[in-house]
Amino acid sequence: MNRDLVTIKGGNDGFRILVDSSATMEEIEAEIKKKLETNPGFFPKGTKFELEVADLDRSVKKGIDELLQEHGFGINKSTKKDKRAFPADNAASSKNVQPEANPVQEMMVLNRTIRGGEEISSQSSILICGNVNPGAQVIAGGSIDIRGTCRGMVHAGAWGDANAVIIADRLMPTQIRIANMIARSPDTMEKSDFAERAFIRDGQIVIEPIER
Amino acid sequence: MSEVIVITSGKGGVGKSTTTANLGVGLAMRGKKVVLIDTDTGLRNLDLLLGLENRIMYDLVDVIEGRVEIKKALVRHKKYENLQLLPTSQVKDKSAVNPADLMALCDELRKEYDYVLIDCPAGIEQGFQTAIAGADTAIVVTMPEVSAVRDADKIIGELGRSEKDNIKLIINRIRPAMVDSGEMMDMDDINDILAIKCIGQVPDDIKVVTSANRGEPVVGDSDSQAGRAYANIVGRIMGEDIPFMKFEKQGFFDKLKKAFGM
Ligand SMILES: Nc1ncnc2c1ncn2[C@@H]1O[C@H](COP(=O)(O)OP(=O)(O)OP(=O)(O)O)[C@@H](O)[C@H]1O
Ligand SMILES: [Mg+2]
Protein backbone atom coordinates (compact mmCIF):
# COMPACT_ATOMS: atom_id res chain seq x y z
CA MET A 1 0.00 0.00 0.00
CA ASN A 2 1.13 3.52 -0.72
CA ARG A 3 2.42 5.62 2.07
CA ASP A 4 0.13 8.54 2.82
CA LEU A 5 1.13 11.68 1.01
CA VAL A 6 -0.70 13.78 3.55
CA THR A 7 -0.98 13.06 7.24
CA ILE A 8 -3.04 14.97 9.78
CA LYS A 9 -1.82 14.62 13.34
CA GLY A 10 -3.31 15.91 16.53
CA GLY A 11 -1.94 16.71 19.93
CA ASN A 12 -2.99 18.80 22.88
CA ASP A 13 -1.93 21.96 21.09
CA GLY A 14 -3.87 21.44 17.88
CA PHE A 15 -3.60 19.68 14.54
CA ARG A 16 -0.71 19.56 12.11
CA ILE A 17 -0.68 18.69 8.46
CA LEU A 18 2.37 16.83 7.24
CA VAL A 19 2.93 16.73 3.51
CA ASP A 20 5.28 14.49 1.56
CA SER A 21 7.47 16.79 -0.49
CA SER A 22 7.37 14.45 -3.49
CA ALA A 23 3.61 14.93 -3.89
CA THR A 24 2.11 17.18 -6.53
CA MET A 25 -0.35 19.92 -5.71
CA GLU A 26 -3.23 17.92 -7.22
CA GLU A 27 -2.39 14.91 -5.09
CA ILE A 28 -2.11 17.01 -1.96
CA GLU A 29 -5.41 18.72 -2.62
CA ALA A 30 -7.21 15.47 -3.25
CA GLU A 31 -5.76 13.91 -0.11
CA ILE A 32 -6.60 16.80 2.19
CA LYS A 33 -10.10 17.00 0.78
CA LYS A 34 -10.60 13.30 1.37
CA LYS A 35 -9.35 13.55 4.93
CA LEU A 36 -11.55 16.50 5.80
CA GLU A 37 -14.62 15.06 4.16
CA THR A 38 -14.43 11.49 5.43
CA ASN A 39 -14.56 12.78 9.01
CA PRO A 40 -17.06 15.60 8.80
CA GLY A 41 -17.52 17.29 12.13
CA PHE A 42 -14.37 15.78 13.55
CA PHE A 43 -12.36 18.96 13.29
CA PRO A 44 -14.08 21.81 15.12
CA LYS A 45 -14.99 24.72 12.87
CA GLY A 46 -12.31 27.36 12.84
CA THR A 47 -9.55 24.88 13.59
CA LYS A 48 -6.15 26.29 12.76
CA PHE A 49 -3.80 23.71 11.32
CA GLU A 50 -0.07 23.94 11.46
CA LEU A 51 1.63 23.16 8.22
CA GLU A 52 4.89 21.27 8.04
CA VAL A 53 6.39 23.38 5.31
CA ALA A 54 10.14 22.88 5.35
CA ASP A 55 10.56 22.09 1.67
CA LEU A 56 7.22 23.08 0.23
CA ASP A 57 6.62 25.45 -2.61
CA ARG A 58 5.02 28.80 -1.83
CA SER A 59 2.28 28.17 -4.38
CA VAL A 60 1.51 24.79 -2.81
CA LYS A 61 1.32 26.40 0.62
CA LYS A 62 -1.09 28.98 -0.73
CA GLY A 63 -3.19 26.27 -2.39
CA ILE A 64 -3.52 24.35 0.87
CA ASP A 65 -4.45 27.51 2.73
CA GLU A 66 -7.23 28.25 0.26
CA LEU A 67 -8.50 24.69 0.43
CA LEU A 68 -8.66 24.81 4.23
CA GLN A 69 -10.48 28.11 4.16
CA GLU A 70 -13.10 26.67 1.82
CA HIS A 71 -13.82 24.14 4.55
CA GLY A 72 -14.00 26.80 7.25
CA PHE A 73 -10.53 26.15 8.65
CA GLY A 74 -7.28 28.02 8.45
CA ILE A 75 -3.55 27.76 8.72
CA ASN A 76 -1.80 28.86 11.84
CA LYS A 77 0.46 31.50 10.35
CA SER A 78 2.79 31.81 13.30
CA THR A 79 4.11 28.32 12.71
CA LYS A 80 6.43 27.53 15.54
CA LYS A 81 7.24 23.91 16.05
CA ASP A 82 7.04 22.66 19.60
CA LYS A 83 9.36 19.73 19.52
CA ARG A 84 8.57 18.58 23.03
CA ALA A 85 4.98 17.88 22.08
CA PHE A 86 5.96 15.52 19.30
CA PRO A 87 9.19 13.85 20.31
CA ALA A 88 8.66 11.02 17.87
CA ASP A 89 8.75 13.37 14.91
CA ASN A 90 12.12 14.98 15.28
CA ALA A 91 13.78 12.57 12.92
CA ALA A 92 10.91 12.58 10.48
CA SER A 93 10.70 16.29 9.86
CA SER A 94 14.34 16.66 8.98
CA LYS A 95 14.22 13.98 6.30
CA ASN A 96 11.30 13.17 4.07
CA VAL A 97 8.28 12.85 6.29
CA GLN A 98 7.46 9.27 7.22
CA PRO A 99 4.74 9.50 9.83
CA GLU A 100 3.78 5.80 9.79
CA ALA A 101 7.17 4.80 10.99
CA ASN A 102 6.89 7.21 13.91
CA PRO A 103 3.46 6.89 15.48
CA VAL A 104 2.55 9.54 18.03
CA GLN A 105 2.95 7.90 21.39
CA GLU A 106 1.12 10.24 23.68
CA MET A 107 -1.91 9.36 25.68
CA MET A 108 -4.74 11.67 26.64
CA VAL A 109 -5.76 11.15 30.27
CA LEU A 110 -9.05 12.39 31.70
CA ASN A 111 -9.93 12.02 35.37
CA ARG A 112 -13.62 12.77 35.26
CA THR A 113 -17.06 11.72 34.06
CA ILE A 114 -17.63 12.33 30.35
CA ARG A 115 -21.22 13.54 30.25
CA GLY A 116 -23.93 13.43 27.58
CA GLY A 117 -23.32 15.85 24.71
CA GLU A 118 -19.56 15.93 25.29
CA GLU A 119 -17.20 14.87 22.52
CA ILE A 120 -13.65 13.87 23.36
CA SER A 121 -11.22 13.21 20.57
CA SER A 122 -7.52 12.70 20.24
CA GLN A 123 -5.18 11.29 17.65
CA SER A 124 -3.47 9.39 20.44
CA SER A 125 -4.86 6.78 22.82
CA ILE A 126 -7.28 7.89 25.52
CA LEU A 127 -7.45 6.83 29.16
CA ILE A 128 -10.55 7.86 31.08
CA CYS A 129 -10.75 7.39 34.83
CA GLY A 130 -14.51 7.83 35.16
CA ASN A 131 -17.69 6.90 33.34
CA VAL A 132 -18.55 7.65 29.73
CA ASN A 133 -22.25 8.49 29.84
CA PRO A 134 -25.03 7.96 27.30
CA GLY A 135 -24.85 10.60 24.58
CA ALA A 136 -21.11 11.16 25.02
CA GLN A 137 -18.58 10.35 22.28
CA VAL A 138 -14.97 9.31 22.63
CA ILE A 139 -12.86 9.15 19.47
CA ALA A 140 -9.22 8.03 19.54
CA GLY A 141 -6.61 7.43 16.89
CA GLY A 142 -5.28 4.71 19.16
CA SER A 143 -6.93 2.64 21.87
CA ILE A 144 -9.46 3.62 24.51
CA ASP A 145 -9.29 2.50 28.14
CA ILE A 146 -12.16 3.36 30.45
CA ARG A 147 -11.78 2.80 34.19
CA GLY A 148 -15.48 3.02 34.77
CA THR A 149 -18.72 2.25 32.94
CA CYS A 150 -18.95 2.98 29.24
CA ARG A 151 -22.51 3.81 28.12
CA GLY A 152 -21.65 6.21 25.29
CA MET A 153 -20.26 5.86 21.77
CA VAL A 154 -16.62 4.88 21.50
CA HIS A 155 -14.44 4.82 18.40
CA ALA A 156 -10.88 3.50 18.61
CA GLY A 157 -8.43 3.47 15.72
CA ALA A 158 -10.54 6.19 14.17
CA TRP A 159 -7.99 6.84 11.42
CA GLY A 160 -7.75 3.24 10.40
CA ASP A 161 -5.70 1.48 13.06
CA ALA A 162 -7.36 -1.94 13.17
CA ASN A 163 -5.11 -3.03 16.03
CA ALA A 164 -6.68 -0.53 18.42
CA VAL A 165 -8.71 -1.94 21.31
CA ILE A 166 -11.39 -0.67 23.65
CA ILE A 167 -11.30 -1.67 27.30
CA ALA A 168 -13.80 -0.78 30.02
CA ASP A 169 -14.58 -1.95 33.55
CA ARG A 170 -18.19 -2.26 32.43
CA LEU A 171 -18.67 -2.15 28.70
CA MET A 172 -22.27 -1.29 27.84
CA PRO A 173 -21.94 1.27 25.03
CA THR A 174 -24.59 2.24 22.51
CA GLN A 175 -22.07 1.60 19.76
CA ILE A 176 -18.50 0.44 19.41
CA ARG A 177 -16.36 1.39 16.45
CA ILE A 178 -12.87 0.19 15.74
CA ALA A 179 -11.15 1.46 12.59
CA ASN A 180 -13.91 1.19 9.97
CA MET A 181 -15.97 -1.49 11.72
CA ILE A 182 -19.13 -0.79 13.67
CA ALA A 183 -20.82 -2.93 16.30
CA ARG A 184 -24.15 -1.94 17.73
CA SER A 185 -25.14 -2.98 21.24
CA PRO A 186 -27.84 -5.61 21.63
CA ASP A 187 -31.24 -4.06 22.27
CA THR A 188 -31.36 -5.48 25.74
CA MET A 189 -28.07 -5.35 27.53
CA GLU A 190 -27.29 -7.13 30.74
CA LYS A 191 -24.84 -5.59 33.16
CA SER A 192 -21.40 -7.10 32.90
CA ASP A 193 -19.61 -7.81 36.15
CA PHE A 194 -16.12 -8.02 34.70
CA ALA A 195 -13.90 -5.81 32.62
CA GLU A 196 -14.10 -6.44 28.88
CA ARG A 197 -12.01 -5.76 25.82
CA ALA A 198 -13.29 -5.14 22.31
CA PHE A 199 -11.00 -5.69 19.34
CA ILE A 200 -11.04 -6.84 15.74
CA ARG A 201 -10.55 -10.55 15.02
CA ASP A 202 -11.14 -12.10 11.61
CA GLY A 203 -12.71 -8.94 10.27
CA GLN A 204 -15.21 -8.64 13.09
CA ILE A 205 -15.47 -6.78 16.38
CA VAL A 206 -15.37 -9.27 19.24
CA ILE A 207 -15.70 -8.66 22.95
CA GLU A 208 -14.11 -10.81 25.60
CA PRO A 209 -13.75 -10.60 29.36
CA ILE A 210 -10.36 -9.70 30.76
CA GLU A 211 -8.83 -9.59 34.19
CA ARG A 212 -7.41 -6.47 35.70
CA MET B 1 -23.10 31.74 56.88
CA SER B 2 -25.70 32.08 54.24
CA GLU B 3 -26.06 29.90 51.17
CA VAL B 4 -27.45 30.67 47.71
CA ILE B 5 -28.93 27.53 46.12
CA VAL B 6 -30.28 27.24 42.59
CA ILE B 7 -32.80 24.46 41.82
CA THR B 8 -32.45 23.30 38.23
CA SER B 9 -33.16 20.27 36.03
CA GLY B 10 -32.74 20.56 32.27
CA LYS B 11 -35.97 18.74 31.45
CA GLY B 12 -39.13 20.62 32.33
CA GLY B 13 -41.86 19.46 34.67
CA VAL B 14 -39.73 17.22 36.87
CA GLY B 15 -40.45 19.19 40.05
CA LYS B 16 -38.12 22.20 40.34
CA SER B 17 -40.80 24.59 41.60
CA THR B 18 -42.31 21.94 43.87
CA THR B 19 -38.87 21.31 45.33
CA THR B 20 -38.13 25.02 45.79
CA ALA B 21 -41.44 25.61 47.58
CA ASN B 22 -41.01 22.60 49.84
CA LEU B 23 -37.41 23.31 50.76
CA GLY B 24 -38.26 26.95 51.38
CA VAL B 25 -41.12 26.14 53.74
CA GLY B 26 -39.11 23.31 55.34
CA LEU B 27 -36.13 25.57 56.09
CA ALA B 28 -38.46 28.27 57.44
CA MET B 29 -40.14 25.71 59.70
CA ARG B 30 -36.71 24.98 61.12
CA GLY B 31 -36.33 28.64 62.01
CA LYS B 32 -34.15 29.75 59.11
CA LYS B 33 -34.57 33.07 57.34
CA VAL B 34 -35.34 32.19 53.75
CA VAL B 35 -36.01 34.05 50.52
CA LEU B 36 -37.20 32.33 47.34
CA ILE B 37 -36.55 33.91 43.94
CA ASP B 38 -38.72 32.82 41.04
CA THR B 39 -36.77 33.29 37.80
CA ASP B 40 -39.10 31.21 35.64
CA THR B 41 -41.68 33.17 33.74
CA GLY B 42 -43.73 30.04 33.30
CA LEU B 43 -47.24 28.97 34.00
CA ARG B 44 -47.09 27.12 37.27
CA ASN B 45 -45.29 29.52 39.52
CA LEU B 46 -43.97 29.57 43.02
CA ASP B 47 -46.53 32.09 44.24
CA LEU B 48 -49.32 29.62 43.46
CA LEU B 49 -47.56 26.75 45.19
CA LEU B 50 -47.19 28.94 48.28
CA GLY B 51 -50.69 30.38 48.12
CA LEU B 52 -49.40 33.93 47.72
CA GLU B 53 -50.71 34.90 44.31
CA ASN B 54 -53.08 37.60 45.55
CA ARG B 55 -50.40 39.38 47.59
CA ILE B 56 -47.99 40.19 44.78
CA MET B 57 -47.40 43.92 44.23
CA TYR B 58 -44.04 44.04 42.46
CA ASP B 59 -41.74 41.51 40.85
CA LEU B 60 -38.12 40.62 40.10
CA VAL B 61 -37.93 42.87 37.04
CA ASP B 62 -39.20 45.87 39.02
CA VAL B 63 -36.35 45.32 41.47
CA ILE B 64 -33.70 44.82 38.81
CA GLU B 65 -34.81 47.91 36.91
CA GLY B 66 -34.71 49.94 40.11
CA ARG B 67 -38.39 50.86 40.24
CA VAL B 68 -38.75 49.53 43.76
CA GLU B 69 -36.54 48.44 46.66
CA ILE B 70 -36.08 44.73 47.29
CA LYS B 71 -37.84 44.97 50.66
CA LYS B 72 -41.00 46.31 49.06
CA ALA B 73 -41.15 43.59 46.42
CA LEU B 74 -40.72 40.67 48.81
CA VAL B 75 -43.95 38.87 49.70
CA ARG B 76 -44.09 37.47 53.24
CA HIS B 77 -45.55 34.02 53.72
CA LYS B 78 -48.87 33.92 55.59
CA LYS B 79 -47.86 31.26 58.06
CA TYR B 80 -44.06 31.34 58.17
CA GLU B 81 -42.92 34.86 58.93
CA ASN B 82 -39.29 34.21 58.07
CA LEU B 83 -40.11 33.02 54.54
CA GLN B 84 -40.25 35.58 51.72
CA LEU B 85 -40.90 35.30 48.01
CA LEU B 86 -39.56 37.48 45.23
CA PRO B 87 -42.03 36.69 42.44
CA THR B 88 -41.33 36.58 38.74
CA SER B 89 -42.91 38.93 36.27
CA GLN B 90 -45.89 37.49 34.46
CA VAL B 91 -45.72 39.91 31.59
CA LYS B 92 -42.18 41.17 31.06
CA ASP B 93 -39.50 39.57 28.99
CA LYS B 94 -37.12 37.09 30.61
CA SER B 95 -34.18 38.86 29.00
CA ALA B 96 -34.88 41.86 31.25
CA VAL B 97 -32.69 40.13 33.84
CA ASN B 98 -29.07 39.26 33.16
CA PRO B 99 -26.57 37.16 35.15
CA ALA B 100 -24.78 40.17 36.66
CA ASP B 101 -28.09 41.61 37.91
CA LEU B 102 -29.03 38.40 39.66
CA MET B 103 -25.57 37.96 41.13
CA ALA B 104 -25.74 41.43 42.65
CA LEU B 105 -29.22 40.75 43.99
CA CYS B 106 -28.12 37.48 45.61
CA ASP B 107 -25.20 39.20 47.29
CA GLU B 108 -27.56 41.81 48.68
CA LEU B 109 -29.97 39.17 50.03
CA ARG B 110 -27.15 37.10 51.51
CA LYS B 111 -26.61 39.78 54.13
CA GLU B 112 -30.04 39.21 55.67
CA TYR B 113 -31.09 35.68 54.91
CA ASP B 114 -29.73 32.26 55.82
CA TYR B 115 -30.85 30.71 52.54
CA VAL B 116 -31.61 32.16 49.11
CA LEU B 117 -33.32 29.57 46.88
CA ILE B 118 -33.61 30.23 43.16
CA ASP B 119 -36.23 28.44 41.05
CA CYS B 120 -34.66 28.03 37.61
CA PRO B 121 -36.46 27.75 34.26
CA ALA B 122 -36.14 24.49 32.28
CA GLY B 123 -33.55 24.25 29.51
CA ILE B 124 -29.99 25.51 29.17
CA GLU B 125 -30.66 28.86 27.54
CA GLN B 126 -30.09 32.34 28.85
CA GLY B 127 -32.61 31.98 31.67
CA PHE B 128 -30.58 29.08 33.03
CA GLN B 129 -27.31 31.00 32.85
CA THR B 130 -28.93 33.91 34.67
CA ALA B 131 -30.46 31.74 37.39
CA ILE B 132 -27.21 29.94 38.24
CA ALA B 133 -25.00 33.03 38.18
CA GLY B 134 -25.13 33.94 41.86
CA ALA B 135 -25.42 30.44 43.33
CA ASP B 136 -22.96 28.69 45.65
CA THR B 137 -24.73 25.36 45.30
CA ALA B 138 -26.85 23.82 42.57
CA ILE B 139 -29.51 21.21 43.24
CA VAL B 140 -30.34 19.16 40.15
CA VAL B 141 -33.81 17.60 40.21
CA THR B 142 -34.45 14.55 38.07
CA MET B 143 -36.91 11.67 37.72
CA PRO B 144 -36.21 7.95 37.36
CA GLU B 145 -36.65 7.93 33.61
CA VAL B 146 -34.10 7.83 30.82
CA SER B 147 -34.77 11.24 29.24
CA ALA B 148 -34.83 13.12 32.55
CA VAL B 149 -31.55 11.53 33.63
CA ARG B 150 -29.90 12.37 30.31
CA ASP B 151 -30.96 16.00 30.63
CA ALA B 152 -29.72 16.09 34.21
CA ASP B 153 -26.38 14.73 32.99
CA LYS B 154 -26.11 17.52 30.42
CA ILE B 155 -27.05 20.16 32.99
CA ILE B 156 -24.37 18.86 35.34
CA GLY B 157 -21.83 19.16 32.53
CA GLU B 158 -23.05 22.69 31.82
CA LEU B 159 -22.80 23.66 35.51
CA GLY B 160 -19.24 22.35 35.53
CA ARG B 161 -18.34 24.49 32.54
CA SER B 162 -19.78 27.51 34.39
CA GLU B 163 -17.51 26.63 37.32
CA LYS B 164 -20.32 25.53 39.59
CA ASP B 165 -18.78 22.52 41.25
CA ASN B 166 -20.96 22.10 44.29
CA ILE B 167 -23.81 20.10 42.80
CA LYS B 168 -26.37 17.94 44.63
CA LEU B 169 -29.02 15.60 43.28
CA ILE B 170 -32.69 15.04 44.14
CA ILE B 171 -34.53 12.15 42.52
CA ASN B 172 -38.24 12.99 42.44
CA ARG B 173 -41.45 11.07 41.68
CA ILE B 174 -40.09 7.63 42.43
CA ARG B 175 -42.57 4.77 42.18
CA PRO B 176 -41.04 1.93 44.15
CA ALA B 177 -43.24 -0.74 42.57
CA MET B 178 -42.15 0.31 39.09
CA VAL B 179 -38.50 0.45 40.10
CA ASP B 180 -38.84 -3.09 41.46
CA SER B 181 -40.43 -4.39 38.28
CA GLY B 182 -37.69 -2.78 36.18
CA GLU B 183 -40.03 -0.27 34.52
CA MET B 184 -38.25 2.63 36.21
CA MET B 185 -34.54 3.21 36.55
CA ASP B 186 -33.22 2.22 39.95
CA MET B 187 -31.43 4.62 42.28
CA ASP B 188 -28.04 2.91 41.98
CA ASP B 189 -28.04 3.25 38.18
CA ILE B 190 -28.99 6.92 38.36
CA ASN B 191 -26.32 7.65 40.94
CA ASP B 192 -23.71 5.74 38.94
CA ILE B 193 -24.45 7.77 35.82
CA LEU B 194 -24.79 11.20 37.38
CA ALA B 195 -21.98 10.73 39.90
CA ILE B 196 -22.92 13.63 42.19
CA LYS B 197 -24.04 13.55 45.81
CA CYS B 198 -27.67 12.55 46.19
CA ILE B 199 -29.46 14.42 48.99
CA GLY B 200 -33.00 13.30 48.36
CA GLN B 201 -35.28 10.59 47.05
CA VAL B 202 -38.89 11.74 46.88
CA PRO B 203 -41.70 9.32 46.06
CA ASP B 204 -44.52 10.08 43.68
CA ASP B 205 -47.28 11.12 46.02
CA ILE B 206 -50.72 12.47 45.22
CA LYS B 207 -50.48 14.65 48.33
CA VAL B 208 -47.82 16.75 46.55
CA VAL B 209 -50.48 17.79 44.06
CA THR B 210 -53.40 18.24 46.44
CA SER B 211 -51.36 20.27 48.89
CA ALA B 212 -49.95 22.42 46.08
CA ASN B 213 -53.50 23.19 45.02
CA ARG B 214 -54.17 24.47 48.53
CA GLY B 215 -51.00 26.55 48.47
CA GLU B 216 -49.51 24.57 51.36
CA PRO B 217 -46.40 22.61 50.39
CA VAL B 218 -46.48 19.00 51.51
CA VAL B 219 -43.34 19.29 53.65
CA GLY B 220 -45.54 20.33 56.57
CA ASP B 221 -47.51 17.06 56.36
CA SER B 222 -45.82 14.26 58.25
CA ASP B 223 -48.51 11.77 57.16
CA SER B 224 -47.20 12.01 53.62
CA GLN B 225 -44.16 10.07 52.46
CA ALA B 226 -43.15 12.88 50.12
CA GLY B 227 -43.56 15.36 52.98
CA ARG B 228 -41.17 13.34 55.14
CA ALA B 229 -38.74 12.99 52.24
CA TYR B 230 -38.65 16.78 51.79
CA ALA B 231 -38.19 17.30 55.53
CA ASN B 232 -35.19 14.95 55.38
CA ILE B 233 -33.69 16.92 52.50
CA VAL B 234 -34.06 20.09 54.56
CA GLY B 235 -32.10 18.41 57.34
CA ARG B 236 -29.36 17.32 54.94
CA ILE B 237 -29.06 20.84 53.55
CA MET B 238 -28.55 22.01 57.12
CA GLY B 239 -25.72 19.53 57.44
CA GLU B 240 -27.44 16.67 59.26
CA ASP B 241 -26.62 13.08 58.43
CA ILE B 242 -29.97 11.44 57.73
CA PRO B 243 -30.28 7.99 56.15
CA PHE B 244 -32.56 7.54 53.14
CA MET B 245 -35.98 6.17 54.01
CA LYS B 246 -37.40 2.94 52.71
CA PHE B 247 -40.56 3.45 50.72
CA GLU B 248 -43.67 1.46 51.50
CA LYS B 249 -44.38 -0.48 48.38
CA GLN B 250 -47.91 -1.38 49.29
CA GLY B 251 -50.68 0.99 50.12
CA PHE B 252 -51.76 1.11 53.73
CA PHE B 253 -54.95 -0.79 53.00
CA ASP B 254 -53.14 -3.60 51.25
CA LYS B 255 -51.17 -4.06 54.43
CA LEU B 256 -54.28 -4.03 56.57
CA LYS B 257 -55.89 -6.60 54.32
CA LYS B 258 -52.85 -8.78 54.70
CA ALA B 259 -52.90 -8.40 58.43
CA PHE B 260 -56.51 -9.51 58.52
CA GLY B 261 -55.88 -12.32 56.09
CA MET B 262 -58.14 -10.84 53.42
N1 LIG C 1 -43.24 13.92 44.15
C1 LIG C 1 -44.30 14.23 43.39
N2 LIG C 1 -45.40 13.45 43.38
C2 LIG C 1 -46.47 13.75 42.62
N3 LIG C 1 -46.53 14.82 41.80
C3 LIG C 1 -45.47 15.64 41.73
C4 LIG C 1 -44.30 15.39 42.52
N4 LIG C 1 -43.39 16.37 42.24
C5 LIG C 1 -43.97 17.19 41.33
N5 LIG C 1 -45.21 16.76 41.02
C6 LIG C 1 -46.14 17.37 40.07
O1 LIG C 1 -45.50 17.47 38.81
C7 LIG C 1 -45.89 18.66 38.13
C8 LIG C 1 -44.65 19.46 37.74
O2 LIG C 1 -44.01 19.93 38.90
P1 LIG C 1 -43.28 21.35 38.95
O3 LIG C 1 -44.16 22.41 38.45
O4 LIG C 1 -42.72 21.49 40.32
O5 LIG C 1 -42.10 21.07 37.92
P2 LIG C 1 -41.07 22.12 37.32
O6 LIG C 1 -39.81 21.35 37.13
O7 LIG C 1 -41.00 23.34 38.15
O8 LIG C 1 -41.74 22.44 35.93
P3 LIG C 1 -41.34 23.60 34.87
O9 LIG C 1 -40.17 23.05 34.13
O10 LIG C 1 -42.57 23.72 34.03
O11 LIG C 1 -41.03 24.82 35.68
C9 LIG C 1 -46.80 19.41 39.08
O12 LIG C 1 -48.14 19.16 38.72
C10 LIG C 1 -46.48 18.80 40.43
O13 LIG C 1 -47.59 18.86 41.30
MG1 LIG D 1 -41.28 25.42 37.54
Side-chain angles (χ1 to χ4, degrees):
Chain A
M1 213 185 85
N2 267 349
R3 183 157 52 81
D4 276 3
L5 297 172
V6 175
T7 310
I8 300 182
K9 287 194 165 192
N12 292 335
D13 53 349
F15 294 97
R16 292 184 310 146
I17 298 181
L18 292 89
V19 179
D20 189 319
S21 54
S22 67
T24 66
M25 184 60 215
E26 286 76 51
E27 288 173 326
I28 294 172
E29 243 183 57
E31 273 296 303
I32 292 183
K33 242 193 165 129
K34 203 173 88 196
K35 290 224 147 69
L36 295 179
E37 281 162 10
T38 47
N39 292 310
F42 178 75
F43 303 106
K45 274 270 168 278
T47 296
K48 291 259 185 280
F49 292 90
E50 292 213 5
L51 200 51
E52 288 289 305
V53 288
D55 35 20
L56 268 188
D57 233 56
R58 275 189 76 109
S59 64
V60 176
K61 242 198 274 180
K62 202 159 153 269
I64 295 175
D65 194 9
E66 281 166 11
L67 182 65
L68 289 174
Q69 277 178 19
E70 271 170 38
H71 284 80
F73 306 119
I75 282 184
N76 199 349
K77 290 277 167 11
S78 61
T79 298
K80 193 176 110 262
K81 264 190 64 197
D82 184 353
K83 301 224 160 161
R84 282 163 307 157
F86 298 94
D89 284 344
N90 288 353
S93 52
S94 56
K95 291 184 258 123
N96 270 357
V97 181
Q98 284 181 303
E100 262 76 357
N102 299 287
V104 177
Q105 308 238 308
E106 295 143 50
M107 158 133 21
M108 183 191 240
V109 182
L110 296 165
N111 289 306
R112 60 183 179 89
T113 304
I114 312 303
R115 299 190 182 274
E118 268 190 87
E119 199 181 304
I120 303 295
S121 79
S122 167
Q123 301 263 318
S124 64
S125 291
I126 302 180
L127 169 65
I128 295 167
C129 301
N131 292 349
V132 174
N133 280 353
Q137 284 191 17
V138 178
I139 300 166
S143 295
I144 298 172
D145 186 351
I146 297 162
R147 309 287 167 101
T149 304
C150 174
R151 296 184 177 87
M153 201 287 283
V154 277
H155 191 178
W159 287 269
D161 180 3
N163 293 318
V165 302
I166 295 167
I167 300 174
D169 286 348
R170 276 166 307 282
L171 192 57
M172 34 203 312
T174 45
Q175 224 183 59
I176 286 183
R177 302 185 186 184
I178 299 177
N180 56 1
M181 312 233 38
I182 299 181
R184 186 175 60 78
S185 67
D187 284 330
T188 55
M189 185 146 31
E190 69 271 29
K191 246 185 195 163
S192 56
D193 289 330
F194 33 76
E196 288 178 306
R197 170 172 51 208
F199 57 99
I200 295 183
R201 185 164 61 199
D202 303 330
Q204 217 181 333
I205 295 181
V206 293
I207 296 173
E208 64 177 26
I210 55 164
E211 280 196 36
R212 73 164 171 195
Chain B
M1 264 291 286
S2 57
E3 188 175 5
V4 179
I5 305 174
V6 62
I7 289 89
T8 180
S9 71
K11 189 176 160 81
V14 300
K16 292 178 293 298
S17 301
T18 302
T19 301
T20 310
N22 277 288
L23 298 186
V25 168
L27 286 163
M29 286 168 69
R30 301 278 305 262
K32 297 294 174 189
K33 289 188 76 178
V34 185
V35 58
L36 309 182
I37 307 179
D38 190 347
T39 66
D40 186 9
T41 321
L43 297 172
R44 193 178 353 245
N45 287 106
L46 270 182
D47 50 280
L48 286 178
L49 298 181
L50 295 164
L52 298 175
E53 190 187 13
N54 57 352
R55 303 184 179 209
I56 295 176
M57 306 288 281
Y58 304 100
D59 59 49
L60 175 63
V61 177
D62 292 320
V63 174
I64 296 294
E65 292 180 348
R67 273 190 291 277
V68 56
E69 273 180 64
I70 304 179
K71 285 234 159 65
K72 277 187 107 174
L74 292 175
V75 184
R76 184 183 299 280
H77 194 269
K78 291 175 277 194
K79 198 159 156 197
Y80 307 102
E81 294 241 310
N82 41 352
L83 176 64
Q84 310 260 14
L85 169 71
L86 181 52
T88 185
S89 164
Q90 293 297 340
V91 285
K92 286 155 210 143
D93 200 335
K94 269 186 220 184
S95 61
V97 185
N98 65 41
D101 293 332
L102 205 65
M103 214 186 282
L105 182 66
C106 289
D107 284 339
E108 191 62 33
L109 290 168
R110 242 183 235 283
K111 294 178 196 156
E112 274 211 36
Y113 294 87
D114 299 312
Y115 290 94
V116 179
L117 306 188
I118 303 168
D119 185 12
C120 178
I124 43 177
E125 285 84 47
Q126 194 202 348
F128 165 78
Q129 294 296 344
T130 300
I132 68 170
D136 311 310
T137 303
I139 292 179
V140 174
V141 183
T142 192
M143 280 168 47
E145 55 176 55
V146 173
S147 63
V149 171
R150 285 218 183 182
D151 282 1
D153 188 42
K154 284 199 180 133
I155 279 288
I156 295 164
E158 203 59 48
L159 286 164
R161 281 187 282 282
S162 301
E163 269 143 47
K164 302 285 171 193
D165 294 323
N166 190 9
I167 312 174
K168 309 269 168 65
L169 180 69
I170 292 178
I171 306 171
N172 189 25
R173 306 199 71 164
I174 301 164
R175 294 184 174 185
M178 284 178 74
V179 173
D180 277 4
S181 66
E183 290 166 278
M184 243 183 195
M185 293 178 77
D186 78 54
M187 301 307 112
D188 290 345
D189 280 347
I190 297 173
N191 283 315
D192 183 44
I193 291 178
L194 297 180
I196 56 174
K197 187 168 173 51
C198 184
I199 58 162
Q201 299 177 354
V202 183
D204 195 88
D205 184 341
I206 186 68
K207 284 199 168 166
V208 170
V209 184
T210 52
S211 65
N213 288 342
R214 274 181 279 121
E216 288 170 19
V218 74
V219 65
D221 181 356
S222 57
D223 290 337
S224 138
Q225 282 204 57
R228 293 199 300 275
Y230 281 121
N232 286 346
I233 298 171
V234 167
R236 292 186 194 109
I237 288 175
M238 291 170 61
E240 294 161 14
D241 188 11
I242 303 168
F244 287 105
M245 59 192 208
K246 286 259 175 294
F247 300 127
E248 288 164 28
K249 284 192 195 98
Q250 299 160 309
F252 181 63
F253 289 105
D254 295 330
K255 277 206 176 149
L256 270 188
K257 277 189 207 157
K258 263 210 184 120
F260 288 101
M262 290 162 80

